[in-house]
């Protein structure tokens, strides 16, 4: 294998790993995918170290180690699936390394997000449904749907303006708290606590918390603790927004 081929393999593997980490994959899955790419490219002795803030990889006996920083994190499980599909195509020799890297670049630059209107409707339905499941309050189903929809709209809008996830969650939770209290005040709802519980559910960091537990159980303590702190900060931001409104109103 040439040095250029090894360089391209590491570049492609790190590219795939970064996309997976950025979109919510657990560390063990990323490590497995990178190792499979290296093995299928003819490098069975590659070394890889993955955290949620960066990935390091090298080939034993060669001086071409590379580091790929991870600067943003969100949730897009479809991207993770697409990266895994490309890895399988590479393993089956349907594409070569250059094509693999090109398709990863296209995937990275042209994300296929669900349209905003569908995200809003989904957030509303999740809010109302979970409000009924957790609290059994059927009269507040529709108002929970509406407030959950608005809360997600605030979160989405602020995320586009300010690249600070915790601030977006705080402001969204604040909006939910205000609307829930006003809904009860104007007799559009019956219980503000139930409405708030349902409406904040789309904001709850369920995937990061689950991945934190999985990483810790798999022995990836650094990434597990980091993910856990990230989920905790999100929970604190949401709780602080609600608490501030309940205290003020």
């Amino acid at each position: 294998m040439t040095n250029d081929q090894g360089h391209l393999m590491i570049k492609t593997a790190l590219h795939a790993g970064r996309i997976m980490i950025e979109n919510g994959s657990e560390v063990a899955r990323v490590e497995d995918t990178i190792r499979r790419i290296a093995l299928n490219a003819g490098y069975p002795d590659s070394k890889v170290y993955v955290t949620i803030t960066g990935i390091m990889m090298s080939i034993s006996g060669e001086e071409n180690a590379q580091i790929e920083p991870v600067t943003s994190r969100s949730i897009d499980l479809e991207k993770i699936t697409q990266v895994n599909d490309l890895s399988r195509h590479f393993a089956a020799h349907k594409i070569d390394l250059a094509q693999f890297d090109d398709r990863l670049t296209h995937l990275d630059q042209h994300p296929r997000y669900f349209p905003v209107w569908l995200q809003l409707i989904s957030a509303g339905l999740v809010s109302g449904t979970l409000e009924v499941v957790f609290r059994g309050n059927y009269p507040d189903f529709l108002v929970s749907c509406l407030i959950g929809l608005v809360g997600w709209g605030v979160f989405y809008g602020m995320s586009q303006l300010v690249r600070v996830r915790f601030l977006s969650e705080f402001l969204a939770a604040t909006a939910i708290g205000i609307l829930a209290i006003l809904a009860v005040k104007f007799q559009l709802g019956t219980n503000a606590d139930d409405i708030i519980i349902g409406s904040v559910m789309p904001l709850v960091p369920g995937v990061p918390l689950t991945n934190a537990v999985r990483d810790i159980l798999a022995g990836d303590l650094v990434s597990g603790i980091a993910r856990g702190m990230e989920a905790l900060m999100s929970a604190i931001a949401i709780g602080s927004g609600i608490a501030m409104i309940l205290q003020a109103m």
Side-chain angles (χ1 to χ4, degrees):
M1 298 289 181
T2 65
N3 287 336
D4 289 343
Q5 182 76 359
H7 179 83
L8 178 59
M9 185 280 294
I10 294 178
K11 177 176 178 289
T12 302
L14 291 178
H15 196 173
R18 177 178 60 78
I19 293 174
M20 295 178 72
I21 286 290
E22 285 181 345
N23 291 280
S25 178
E26 65 273 25
V27 168
R29 182 188 295 270
V30 176
E31 288 180 344
D32 181 66
T33 299
I34 291 176
R35 287 197 176 100
R36 287 178 184 274
I37 292 172
L39 178 63
N40 292 320
Y43 295 92
D45 296 327
S46 62
K47 307 297 182 183
V48 59
Y49 179 69
V50 179
T51 71
I52 66 169
T53 56
I55 308 172
M56 291 168 278
M57 186 178 187
S58 67
I59 301 173
S60 297
E62 297 189 22
E63 299 179 355
N64 57 357
Q66 295 183 37
I67 299 175
E68 183 78 14
V70 179
T71 57
S72 64
R73 285 174 296 280
S74 61
I75 304 299
D76 190 342
L77 302 183
E78 185 176 359
K79 270 191 175 183
I80 298 173
T81 300
Q82 291 174 347
V83 171
N84 284 330
D85 288 342
L86 289 173
S87 177
R88 294 187 186 99
H89 290 163
F90 176 65
H93 305 291
K94 296 179 180 179
I95 57 176
D96 59 24
L97 267 177
Q99 292 172 324
F100 193 175
D101 189 54
D102 288 342
R103 295 190 185 186
L104 288 172
T105 300
H106 183 271
L107 174 63
D108 207 13
Q109 295 177 349
H110 302 86
R112 296 189 297 174
Y113 293 118
F114 291 106
V116 178
W117 65 267
L118 184 57
Q119 293 184 43
L120 293 174
I121 293 175
S122 299
L125 291 176
V126 167
S127 299
T129 302
L130 292 181
E131 186 270 337
V132 172
V133 170
F134 290 141
R135 308 296 293 182
N137 187 348
Y138 290 92
D140 288 338
F141 172 78
L142 290 178
V143 69
S144 295
C145 288
L146 181 60
I147 293 177
L149 183 152
V150 174
W152 183 261
V154 172
F155 171 74
Y156 181 86
M158 290 305 304
S159 297
Q160 303 303 306
L161 296 176
V162 182
R163 298 296 180 179
V164 181
R165 179 181 177 88
F166 307 124
L167 178 60
S168 302
E169 291 167 337
F170 174 80
L171 294 176
T174 301
I176 288 171
I178 293 173
L179 292 174
I181 292 175
L182 291 178
V184 173
K185 181 177 181 180
F186 291 101
Q187 299 182 347
L188 299 175
T190 60
N191 190 308
D193 291 342
D194 292 355
I195 295 171
I196 290 172
I197 289 172
S199 300
V200 300
M201 283 302 161
L203 304 176
V204 173
V207 173
L209 183 59
T210 301
N211 284 343
V213 175
R214 294 186 65 176
D215 287 343
I216 290 173
L217 293 178
D220 298 307
L221 301 181
V222 174
S223 295
I225 293 172
R227 283 191 194 273
M229 287 301 299
E230 190 174 41
L232 178 62
M233 289 297 295
S234 293
I236 290 174
I238 295 170
S240 298
I242 297 296
M244 184 184 70
I245 295 305
L246 292 178
Q247 185 70 23
M249 300 182 67

